[in-house]
Amino acid sequence: MTGAAGSGATGAALGSGFVLAFADGWASADNDGPRLPNRIALINLRREGMATLDVDVTHPDAGAQGDAKGSAQGDAQGDALAAGLYVVATPIGHLSDLSLRAIDVLRRADTAAAEDTRVARVLLDHIGAHPTLIASHEHNEARMAQAIVERIRAGQAVALTSDAGTPGISDPGARVVAAVHAAGLPVIPVPGASAVTALLSVAGFAEPRFRFEGFLPARSRARRERLATLARSDAVVVIYESPHRIVETVGDLADALEPDRIVVLGRELTKRFEQLHRTTAGALVAWLDADTDRRRGEFVIAFDAAPAELAQEQPVDALLAALCAELPVRQSARLIASATGLRANDLYRRAVALRLGAAGTDDEASADTSSATPPEDQVSDDHTPPTSDSAKD
């Protein structure tokens, strides 16, 4: 779908019956169309006088000319949706990504429960939808969940939306959905744009499985420990990050991965300043540092699955983490070596790479991290080195 028609355009038919009429300034999926880069920009759309997107979704079987008799029958049946919770995905940046079904649901819903009513009102006005608007966000979600359940019990169709993307996916909404399920009432997904699938579709990873991690811990130590575990995932890993922590996260990611591991970074996906970069973990920090503009906006990052030999080390990492939380690193390495037959020196180096160390032994942990290769007389190793590649770091 290309281009925008002038003011008063009659529109163009899509498929067998959907008709879209675009006014001045509206574009489709090209890179010059209107986008929703953030809440302020979305609210500004209202000030710019964006025209309503006219979508005939009530009678999809009526063509561009329409069938008066069919339309009359449809009107007689009424446009009310069945009672239930409709979990509606909204655009993550580009207005054109709002699906025809989402427009239909939002127009016909009795109530829209929105993360931010100001953002939702602009979008609803833009498509000519006028449901009762209520707020349901992370600070009142537990309380609003029961209120939404009561509305559905009373026969209402409630559309649940977040500011961008899908409710419950790194956004509020899960508590409402769980409460409606618990009440035995219908929950209906209305899918749409997703930063996760958008990035994976252009990443080019051969591994078909992926793990969505969402946002990493804000604290540096917890983030590094989490990345050390994710680095050994046998599936592609996808994370979100904000502009406030992108530099620290990229640095920690580069430390956790092998230098040649493929990483794909998406910045401001579907928005005006969208940027996609496919590189290696070893080159990621330098790329981010080369231009301060690359640190702006919202990020989604995916890195390739670990090689098989690294993925197999994850159980040992868990043992190291558990023991190092209570014992000095050297003692932990010796204990695991005696139980598994692995080399104590290799386990020590692995613990250093994971930045593990027992609470209350900061001095020793600091000394441990000063060298990734301890002298043989410091870490005894009475075991025969394993010959299997899967046991090597």
Side-chain angles (χ1 to χ4, degrees):
M1 191 164 61
T2 59
S7 179
T10 58
L14 294 183
S16 61
F18 294 116
V19 179
L20 304 182
F22 295 103
D24 286 333
W26 180 269
S28 59
D30 60 21
N31 290 330
D32 297 324
R35 293 168 173 80
L36 313 180
N38 51 48
R39 294 185 182 183
I40 294 175
L42 178 56
I43 293 172
N44 284 340
L45 288 176
R46 188 174 189 179
R47 297 172 184 166
E48 295 168 2
M50 295 287 292
T52 298
L53 175 62
D54 186 9
V55 184
D56 183 3
V57 289
T58 303
H59 308 107
D61 293 332
Q65 301 301 320
D67 185 315
K69 181 177 179 180
S71 297
Q73 290 174 346
D75 291 338
Q77 294 172 355
D79 293 338
L81 290 172
L85 181 70
Y86 294 78
V87 183
V88 182
T90 55
I92 60 174
H94 201 299
L95 280 170
S96 307
D97 292 334
L98 185 64
S99 72
L100 297 175
R101 184 181 175 208
I103 295 171
D104 180 33
V105 168
L106 292 172
R107 283 180 168 179
R108 297 166 63 194
D110 301 295
T111 300
E115 181 181 1
D116 187 324
T117 55
R118 297 167 299 176
V119 174
R121 174 54 65 197
V122 177
L123 183 62
L124 293 172
D125 286 350
H126 189 73
I127 62 173
H130 306 287
T132 299
L133 193 56
I134 61 175
S136 178
H137 47 73
E138 61 178 332
H139 303 297
N140 74 347
E141 188 177 4
R143 173 170 53 86
M144 290 303 299
Q146 190 57 40
I148 290 171
V149 166
E150 294 305 320
R151 285 176 179 266
I152 297 171
R153 279 180 175 156
Q156 289 193 14
V158 179
L160 181 66
T161 67
S162 60
D163 290 346
T166 304
I169 308 298
S170 291
D171 267 332
R175 290 181 178 177
V176 172
V177 170
V180 175
H181 277 303
L185 298 170
V187 178
I188 304 97
V190 184
S194 164
V196 175
T197 54
L199 183 73
L200 290 174
S201 71
V202 293
F205 292 127
E207 171 57 52
R209 298 168 302 144
F210 70 90
R211 172 178 185 160
F212 175 57
E213 184 70 12
F215 288 96
L216 294 170
R219 294 184 178 275
S220 59
R221 176 165 179 166
R223 182 174 60 247
R224 290 193 296 265
E225 290 175 353
R226 188 65 189 145
L227 280 172
T229 298
L230 295 172
R232 272 139 188 84
S233 171
D234 60 356
V236 172
V237 176
V238 185
I239 62 174
Y240 283 163
E241 193 50 274
S242 70
H244 311 295
R245 290 194 297 268
I246 187 61
V247 173
E248 292 81 1
T249 295
V250 163
D252 292 340
L253 185 62
D255 289 341
L257 302 178
E258 316 82 67
D260 59 349
R261 184 90 69 94
I262 297 298
V263 179
V264 181
L265 181 147
R267 184 176 73 88
E268 294 288 88
L269 289 182
T270 80
K271 302 173 187 175
R272 186 173 302 280
F273 298 106
E274 175 183 273
Q275 190 169 25
L276 183 75
H277 186 63
R278 192 176 196 266
T279 185
T280 61
L284 187 59
V285 172
W287 177 83
L288 192 67
D289 289 344
D291 186 347
T292 56
D293 284 341
R294 293 173 181 171
R295 306 175 189 176
R296 298 179 178 179
E298 300 297 327
F299 297 85
V300 55
I301 303 171
F303 53 89
D304 205 357
E309 61 271 18
L310 293 180
Q312 292 173 5
E313 292 178 359
Q314 192 164 341
V316 173
D317 288 351
L319 286 173
L320 274 171
L323 284 177
C324 288
E326 304 294 337
L327 300 171
V329 175
R330 293 187 181 90
Q331 185 178 357
S332 300
R334 292 189 188 103
L335 288 173
I336 296 177
S338 65
T340 64
L342 299 176
R343 288 175 53 88
N345 282 351
D346 291 342
L347 292 166
Y348 173 89
R349 295 187 188 97
R350 181 64 190 147
V352 170
L354 294 174
R355 292 183 171 90
L356 298 176
T361 60
D362 291 342
D363 292 341
E364 180 175 2
S366 176
D368 286 342
T369 57
S370 64
S371 173
T373 309
E376 290 295 333
D377 60 350
Q378 291 182 1
V379 179
S380 62
D381 184 4
D382 299 327
H383 304 280
T384 303
T387 57
S388 172
D389 289 340
S390 63
K392 297 178 182 179
D393 190 15

